[in-house]
Amino acid sequence: MENVKECQSCAMQMKEAKDFGTEKDGNASVDYCCHCYKDGDFTWKPTFDEFVESNIEFWEKEGNETDDELRARVKGELSNLKRWKTA
């Protein structure tokens, strides 16, 4: 089975080297994807709610899920990721 990691910012599956973000030294980030992280920093620094709204279009609705149900699911899943967890 292939080794697939999940971006700890947006939940994108990272399967290939090109999917991973980069650290300051040019090495691949172990936690973040190429869309969220570059040169050791986040490419965008929104609030959590801004991030959720900007990413909703990338999430597929499940069954007859309403927009509000989708938004709640996205918030729930993203809030468990390293970038968005609150202590």
Side-chain angles (χ1 to χ4, degrees), residues 48 73-82 84-86:
F48 177 71
R73 180 166 57 88
V74 171
K75 279 185 174 187
E77 292 190 34
L78 292 182
S79 68
N80 289 316
L81 299 177
K82 183 177 180 178
W84 305 113
K85 272 188 180 175
T86 55

Side-chain angles (χ1 to χ4, degrees), residues 41-47 50 83-84:
D41 201 6
F42 292 106
T43 58
W44 184 44
K45 296 178 182 171
T47 65
E50 289 170 335
R83 181 177 182 183
W84 305 113

Side-chain angles (χ1 to χ4, degrees), residues 18-83:
K18 68 179 178 67
D19 297 335
F20 290 80
T22 56
E23 298 295 347
K24 284 184 181 180
D25 62 6
N27 287 322
S29 170
V30 296
D31 291 320
Y32 302 108
C33 76
C34 60
H35 302 290
C36 292
Y37 200 73
K38 183 177 180 181
D39 298 326
D41 201 6
F42 292 106
T43 58
W44 184 44
K45 296 178 182 171
T47 65
F48 177 71
D49 287 333
E50 289 170 335
F51 194 80
V52 168
E53 290 303 317
S54 70
N55 278 274
I56 284 188
E57 66 182 282
F58 302 110
W59 292 67
E60 289 184 30
K61 287 188 175 184
E62 295 179 350
N64 293 326
E65 191 173 40
T66 67
D67 289 347
D68 287 339
E69 290 168 334
L70 172 61
R71 183 171 286 102
R73 180 166 57 88
V74 171
K75 279 185 174 187
E77 292 190 34
L78 292 182
S79 68
N80 289 316
L81 299 177
K82 183 177 180 178
R83 181 177 182 183

